[in-house]
Amino acid sequence: MERNYLEEQRYLKAKKRVKDIKGFYGHLASYVGVNIFLTAIIVFGMMNDGKNFVDSITHFGAYSTWLFWGIGVFFHWLGVFGFGNVISKDWEERKIKELMEKDNRRDQKLLKK
């Protein structure tokens, strides 16, 4: 019975991890797609106002969304794949094992009585 519980916990943990990874890749795809679209609108708009391509593409408005949203994408990546997640997962796994052992010892004491 305990084995089934552990297998189910592993499955649920892996399923959540896949969901998190899928969410990150969806975020990354929308980041790239929306930013290409916005940059194109800004560059073509500035070129219609008389600026040349180099001035349009180097204008802060053309890449500001890439920069600020990119910071958010970076922290999303860090949460899914980065160091903080690795440290917290190790701690989480150790804590789960510790609590399970504590419950097991308590159950063994109750069964001996």
Side-chain angles (χ1 to χ4, degrees), residues 52-70:
N52 64 17
F53 180 75
V54 174
D55 289 340
S56 300
I57 200 75
T58 59
H59 188 270
F60 181 69
Y63 62 86
S64 62
T65 309
W66 288 93
L67 176 68
F68 295 118
W69 191 355

Side-chain angles (χ1 to χ4, degrees), residues 15-107:
K15 187 175 178 179
K16 183 187 180 313
R17 180 97 168 111
V18 168
K19 182 181 176 187
D20 291 344
I21 293 169
K22 184 178 175 184
F24 169 74
Y25 284 127
H27 187 189
L28 183 63
S30 63
Y31 165 77
V32 171
V34 169
N35 278 310
I36 287 173
F37 179 72
L38 289 176
T39 302
I41 289 173
I42 292 168
V43 168
F44 289 129
M46 292 178 80
M47 288 175 68
N48 283 339
D49 289 341
K51 293 192 178 190
N52 64 17
F53 180 75
V54 174
D55 289 340
S56 300
I57 200 75
T58 59
H59 188 270
F60 181 69
Y63 62 86
S64 62
T65 309
W66 288 93
L67 176 68
F68 295 118
W69 191 355
I71 292 170
V73 170
F74 171 74
F75 282 110
H76 192 175
W77 173 83
L78 202 59
V80 173
F81 300 107
F83 296 112
N85 196 25
V86 172
I87 293 170
S88 67
K89 287 296 182 189
D90 288 343
W91 173 85
E92 186 178 321
E93 193 66 35
R94 283 192 314 264
K95 194 65 173 174
I96 289 170
K97 286 179 183 178
E98 175 187 330
L99 292 173
M100 287 174 62
E101 288 173 4
K102 184 178 178 182
D103 286 344
N104 193 19
R105 285 192 303 268
R106 186 194 60 187
D107 292 345

Side-chain angles (χ1 to χ4, degrees), residues 5-17:
Y5 175 74
L6 290 175
E7 285 298 317
E8 184 178 346
Q9 287 298 321
R10 286 187 189 115
Y11 172 77
L12 292 174
K13 188 176 180 181
K15 187 175 178 179
K16 183 187 180 313
R17 180 97 168 111

